[in-house]
Amino acid sequence: MRTENNKEQDVRFFSAEFSDDMRHLLDGLIEHRGDLGQLGEDLEQLLRIAGVKASIDPILPNYYH
């Protein structure tokens, strides 16, 4: 679901509930990566491009030393 705000350039592609569902889907794709082949890899890439983060992704700092 894409929502746009005319005053700001903030564009959100998923609602909070839908984002949780997409996170679970991405986790499942990663878990069964070997069984799904190229279609699973393509779907994983699409979810990552859309900004979905897996629960097993490392949390990296936003600053440099």
Side-chain angles (χ1 to χ4, degrees), residues 9-60:
Q9 294 296 336
D10 181 36
V11 177
R12 290 175 283 158
F13 289 98
F14 301 116
S15 67
E17 292 176 12
F18 193 67
S19 181
D20 287 340
D21 291 341
M22 293 295 103
R23 181 177 303 137
H24 291 301
L25 176 61
L26 182 57
D27 290 343
L29 287 171
I30 292 170
E31 184 177 328
H32 299 287
R33 185 178 283 159
D35 298 335
L36 298 173
Q38 185 63 38
L39 181 63
E41 290 177 18
D42 292 343
L43 184 54
E44 178 183 347
Q45 289 300 317
L46 287 173
L47 289 170
R48 290 194 182 273
I49 289 169
V52 178
K53 304 238 185 280
S55 60
I56 60 172
D57 287 345
I59 299 173
L60 302 174

